[in-house]
């Protein structure tokens, strides 16, 4: 019996309707059900005295019913009061029938589980789960933790529990163990069957704290296999890429030498080292897959330019893809400025170009007149044919998903040759994590900032002191400096963001009549944005009010003051990115984080972290701790790989062992690799299918 193909229709209750809903959760087979793991647990293993419960907490409470009444306020509500001698608690039900109402008879005993919240007249629970019994009966807490499964509309926890019960009873014995004993034994982890049984139905007496923290060996066993599956899929992808051929990019190197001679500075040691690593890759007959991690302002653009020139020198084209039009335009201006003196043509492609310009650009690219193409993802639309594309550079990779990265690999392939790929990111992650999360890539690190940089001074100020900040902007701008004023997304709506930015710009213009103020946002026409950015760069605009479109890449060294409104709403890495727009010139720069009171604890921690350190690696580490890898690496936003049970940060101690395990499997048990990947990544995503 192969559980990987056995339809879950063999389980009782799994009729066509439910199966349809389950398939939305990716559940189609019995194996899928067994690997649909609890998201978390509810702890009903001890009774909390009402006097000891607090808002926000989930608690099991046992008390006596003192009163049950139907109130008619905005809506018909059943209100029940229970007490246990240490305090009393209100229950609210908005949906109930008369039988339910009668059940809550005064004097009966109620066993309740739910989230406690602060209500108008004290603590309450809304629609708690409950069991009622007569007063003399003994009410015992549960013997084990209650699993809570990821679910979807119309599928209830109880239904999922019934399905898992059956799958565990009838089929667990048939689940295949793909990890050989020689691998498992030294890790001292339980077998797959033991682990699955334990995680789905923790037995009485199982250590509650360890399970709630997902640090129990049974959970670690599954997390290990899941991370291994992910790692193997990336390794397989890497192996497949290695089988492709790529152009061997060997040139005289004279373009790069001439380019360097035209720069007002010399590359840092770190830039030179990374360029040398890239150069070695480009001379190989298979595609480079290299990630460059470097803090904001570490000079990744220069490294990108060096790589492009190597490709062009060898007679091939290069493409640079940026995540926003604004950044693409800036790159275009920079690269055109650098490359024109070398007699090279740079094309520009974004979604918002006028049709005629676009046609001309596309022709320059396909007929090979343009050596370099800069653009947004519009670069890789159907009608864009490259003449001889040898290298793709993806800037600010965290804005693109793994999917998009993989799609690129198919693009531009000509004569059976696949272009080299260079990926840049300003969200550096620790080495071991990078080796797992980017196992299909080689990783280079620019671990040095250009000389003479002074760390940005960061201050945190409540919005009530805004007038002081406005004065500070005036003083800075009147002494020849320039400033940004960023208005981030307040609601989940670009329109509203735009509205606040517009209003802020108007208010600032009113308060600072002596300054030239401009507004830039994502909805503007490309030409308009470009005109404003050029004016700011040229120094004819003092203060640039912007939405978060300026978050990545924008480089105006004379700007030395950055104001970020509603800073409490932004993530750590995003704040660091925005702050990175200043501190690029010789002047001492300041970043003002304006916040709306009161601050939540999490927001307070974030703002403190940004104030305390300017080091992007440290910021990324703290961000990973605070928000977890799904947010930091962008997988949540882009819909990429989400783990069922593993957490790359929490479980990082396992990572080195995963590399060893992957090597062992690939060498001695290659037939086990596919089934492990299929079991965990299943239909959702298989990174190998490229
Ligand atoms: P990022 O890594 O954030 O993309 P940029 O490439 O935009 O950084 O570079 C930031 C600034 O530093 C730019 O103004 C750039 O010209 C300058 N820069 C880059 N490399 C050097 C260097 N080796 N010495 C001095 N300045 C440099
Ligand atoms: Mg950059």
């Amino acid at each position: 019996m192969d559980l990987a193909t056995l339809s879950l229709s063999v389980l009782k209750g799994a009729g066509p309707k439910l199966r349809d809903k389950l398939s939305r959760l990716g559940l189609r087979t019995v194996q899928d059900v067994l690997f649909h793991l609890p998201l978390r647990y509810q702890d009903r293993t001890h009774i909390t005295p009402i006097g000891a419960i607090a808002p926000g907490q989930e608690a099991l409470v046992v008390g006596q019913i003192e009163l049950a009444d139907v109130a008619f306020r905005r809506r018909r509500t059943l209100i029940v009061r229970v007490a246990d001698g240490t305090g009393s608690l209100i229950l609210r039900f908005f949906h109930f029938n008369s039988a339910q109402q009668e059940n809550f008879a005064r004097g009966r005993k109620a066993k309740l589980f739910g989230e406690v919240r602060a209500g108008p007249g004290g603590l309450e629970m809304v629609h708690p789960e409950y069991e009622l019994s007569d007063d003399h009966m003994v009410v015992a807490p549960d013997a084990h933790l209650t699993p809570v499964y990821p679910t979807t509309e119309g599928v209830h926890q109880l239904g999922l529990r019934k399905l898992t019960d059956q799958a565990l009873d009838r089929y667990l014995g048939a689940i295949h163990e793909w990890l050989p004993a020689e691998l498992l034994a030294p890790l001292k982890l339980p077998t797959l069957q033991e682990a699955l049984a334990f995680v789905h139905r923790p037995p009485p007496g199982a250590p509650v704290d360890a399970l709630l923290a997902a640090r129990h060996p049974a959970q670690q066993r599954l997390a290990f296999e899941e991370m291994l599956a992910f790692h193997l899929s990336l390794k397989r992808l890497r192996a497949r890429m290695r089988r492709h051929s790529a152009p061997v990019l060997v040139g005289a190197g004279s373009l790069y030498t001439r380019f360097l001679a035209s720069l007002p500075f010399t590359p840092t040691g770190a830039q030179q080292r990374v360029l040398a690593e890239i150069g070695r890759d480009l001379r190989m007959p298979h595609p480079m897959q290299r990630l460059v991690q470097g803090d904001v302002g570490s000079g990744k653009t220069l490294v990108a330019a060096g790589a492009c020139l190597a490709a062009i020198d060898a007679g091939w084209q290069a493409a640079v893809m940026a995540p926003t039009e604004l950044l693409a335009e800036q790159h275009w201006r920079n690269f055109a400025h650098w490359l024109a003196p070398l007699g090279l043509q740079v094309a520009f492609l974004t979604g918002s170009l006028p049709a005629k310009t676009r046609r001309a650009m596309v022709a320059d690219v396909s007929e090979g007149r343009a050596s370099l193409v800069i653009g947004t993802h519009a670069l890789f639309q159907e009608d864009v044919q490259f003449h001889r594309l040898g290298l793709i550079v993806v800037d600010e990779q965290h804005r693109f998903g793994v999917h998009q990265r993989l799609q690129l690999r198919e693009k531009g392939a000509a004569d059976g040759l696949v272009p080299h790929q260079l990926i840049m990111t300003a969200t550096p992650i620790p080495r071991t994590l990078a080796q797992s999360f980017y196992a299909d890539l080689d990783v280079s690190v620019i671990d040095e900032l250009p000389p003479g940089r002074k760390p940005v001074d960061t201050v945190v100020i409540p919005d009530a002191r805004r007038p002081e900040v406005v004065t500070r902007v005036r003083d800075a701008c009147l002494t020849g400096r320039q400033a940004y004023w960023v208005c981030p997304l307040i609601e989940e709506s670009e329109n509203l963001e735009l509205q606040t930015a517009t209003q802020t710009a108007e208010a600032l213009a009113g308060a600072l009549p002596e300054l030239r103020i401009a507004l830039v946002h994502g909805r503007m026409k490309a030409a308009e944005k470009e005109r404003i950015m050029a004016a700011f760069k040229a120094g004819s605009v003092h203060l640039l009010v912007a939405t978060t479109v300026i978050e990545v890449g924008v480089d105006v060294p004379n700007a030395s003051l950055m104001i970020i409104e509603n800073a409490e709403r932004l993530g750590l890495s995003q704040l660091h990115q925005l702050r990175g727009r200043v501190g690029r010139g010789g002047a001492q720069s300041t970043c003002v984080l304006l916040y709306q009171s009161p601050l939540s604890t999490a927001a307070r921690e974030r703002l403190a972290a940004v104030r305390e350190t300017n080091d992007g690696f440290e910021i990324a580490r703290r961000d990973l701790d605070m928000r977890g890898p799904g947010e930091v690496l962008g997988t949540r936003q882009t819909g990429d790989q989400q783990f069922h049970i593993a957490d790359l940060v929490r479980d990082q101690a396992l990572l080195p062992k995963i590399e060893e395990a992957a090597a062992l499997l690939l060498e001695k048990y290659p037939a086990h690799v596919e089934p492990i990947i299929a079991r965990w990544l299943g239909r959702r995503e298989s990174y190998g299918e490229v």
Side-chain angles (χ1 to χ4, degrees), residues 265-268 271 295-302 396 450-451 453 553 555 557 584:
F265 49 74
T266 51
T268 61
Q271 285 169 322
D295 199 355
V296 187
S298 61
K300 292 185 290 297
T301 319
L302 175 101
E396 302 295 349
R453 290 278 169 81
D555 181 41
R584 292 172 166 250

Side-chain angles (χ1 to χ4, degrees), residues 23-42:
S23 73
R24 262 181 267 148
L25 288 169
L27 306 185
R28 293 180 182 82
T29 66
V30 172
Q31 175 171 287
D32 292 339
V33 173
L34 286 172
F35 281 83
H36 192 61
L37 302 172
L39 206 55
R40 61 189 183 94
Y41 298 95
Q42 289 171 341

Side-chain angles (χ1 to χ4, degrees), residues 47-181:
I47 296 168
T48 311
I50 294 177
I53 58 178
Q57 177 190 0
E58 274 188 337
L60 179 71
V61 168
V62 175
Q64 205 150 34
I65 297 173
E66 292 194 333
L67 167 152
D69 237 341
V70 176
F72 295 89
R73 292 206 191 110
R74 245 169 292 152
R75 54 201 288 204
R76 199 165 152 264
T77 309
L78 172 61
I79 296 179
V80 178
R81 194 172 75 217
V82 295
D84 69 352
T86 69
S88 67
L89 175 71
I90 300 291
L91 317 179
R92 273 178 208 277
F93 297 89
F94 302 112
H95 311 282
F96 59 97
N97 54 36
S98 52
Q100 274 172 309
Q101 185 186 340
E102 277 156 27
N103 264 328
F104 283 102
R106 186 185 159 88
R108 295 190 83 191
K109 219 172 226 177
K111 176 181 177 186
L112 307 157
F113 183 81
E115 187 179 330
V116 182
R117 64 172 211 187
L123 296 181
E124 45 179 63
M125 285 184 181
V126 177
H127 276 274
E129 292 176 41
Y130 65 88
E131 278 170 49
L132 302 175
S133 56
D134 291 320
D135 180 31
H136 58 273
M137 307 233 294
V138 179
V139 177
D142 287 359
H144 47 76
L145 294 176
T146 310
V148 179
Y149 291 99
T151 188
T152 181
E153 174 120 17
V155 182
H156 300 290
Q157 290 299 327
L158 204 62
L160 285 167
R161 257 178 262 160
K162 281 185 183 152
L163 290 177
T164 344
D165 274 338
Q166 296 177 60
L168 289 166
D169 277 357
R170 289 162 53 197
Y171 297 104
L172 186 61
I175 197 85
H176 199 89
E177 175 72 79
W178 291 110
L179 301 189

Side-chain angles (χ1 to χ4, degrees), residues 37-38 41 177 179 183-184 187-192 194-196 198-199 209-229 644-658 661 680:
L37 302 172
Y41 298 95
E177 175 72 79
L179 301 189
L183 193 160
L184 278 178
L187 293 171
K188 299 199 173 48
L189 290 173
T191 65
L192 180 62
E194 287 163 354
L196 283 174
F198 198 99
V199 162
D209 290 344
L211 274 165
L212 292 178
R215 292 187 191 280
H216 189 275
Q219 290 161 310
Q220 294 283 292
R221 164 68 178 79
L222 297 172
F224 180 82
E225 189 174 316
E226 182 171 37
M227 291 194 288
L228 179 61
H644 288 292
I645 191 163
D647 178 316
L648 287 173
V649 173
R650 184 191 61 217
D651 302 327
Q652 51 184 301
L654 293 172
L655 293 176
K657 295 180 186 125
I658 280 163
W680 288 96

Side-chain angles (χ1 to χ4, degrees), residues 390-592:
L391 170 71
I392 299 173
V393 180
V394 182
D395 195 16
E396 302 295 349
Q397 165 274 341
H398 68 288
R399 293 301 199 83
F400 298 102
V402 178
H403 293 284
Q404 278 156 303
R405 195 172 95 208
L406 294 182
Q407 270 166 17
L408 285 187
R409 297 181 178 181
E410 296 174 325
K411 283 289 180 179
D415 312 331
L417 295 180
V418 170
H420 296 276
Q421 216 177 100
L422 181 65
I423 294 153
M424 318 279 230
T425 178
T427 306
I429 56 175
R431 219 175 108 80
T432 46
L433 200 53
Q435 275 165 353
S436 299
F437 194 77
Y438 302 121
D440 58 326
L441 304 172
D442 295 301
V443 179
S444 295
V445 181
I446 308 182
D447 51 6
E448 182 185 353
L449 293 178
R453 290 278 169 81
K454 299 187 189 74
V456 178
D457 252 340
T458 303
V459 292
V460 179
I461 295 181
D463 193 64
R465 285 170 52 200
R466 198 182 179 90
E468 284 171 40
V469 178
V470 173
T471 308
R472 195 165 180 158
V473 170
R474 174 196 287 122
D475 294 347
C477 291
L478 290 182
T479 55
R481 309 250 61 96
Q482 289 173 279
Y484 296 96
W485 190 297
V486 180
C487 309
L489 197 68
I490 310 241
E491 305 288 335
E492 289 300 312
S493 143
E494 205 184 332
N495 273 331
L496 273 172
E497 179 178 43
L498 186 54
Q499 194 184 328
T500 43
T502 311
Q503 283 164 1
T504 306
E506 279 164 11
L508 287 169
L512 300 166
E514 59 276 64
L515 300 189
R516 281 186 305 275
I517 299 178
L519 171 67
V520 65
H521 58 73
R523 287 286 183 84
M524 277 176 169
K525 291 226 164 60
E528 181 69 2
K529 266 187 280 186
E530 203 185 324
R531 194 181 58 74
I532 290 169
M533 288 311 295
F536 189 58
K537 192 147 198 167
S540 55
V541 164
H542 295 115
L543 173 63
L544 187 68
V545 181
T547 57
T548 45
V549 291
I550 63 145
E551 178 183 337
V552 290
V554 169
D555 181 41
V556 179
N558 188 50
S560 60
L561 180 56
M562 163 67 69
I563 318 292
I564 306 175
E565 284 206 58
N566 295 299
E568 77 280 5
R569 314 244 178 158
L570 296 178
L572 208 47
S573 297
Q574 205 180 4
L575 288 168
H576 182 63
Q577 283 280 338
L578 283 167
R579 174 174 58 184
R581 298 309 117 218
V582 295
R584 292 172 166 250
Q588 176 60 52
S589 293
T590 305
C591 175
V592 178

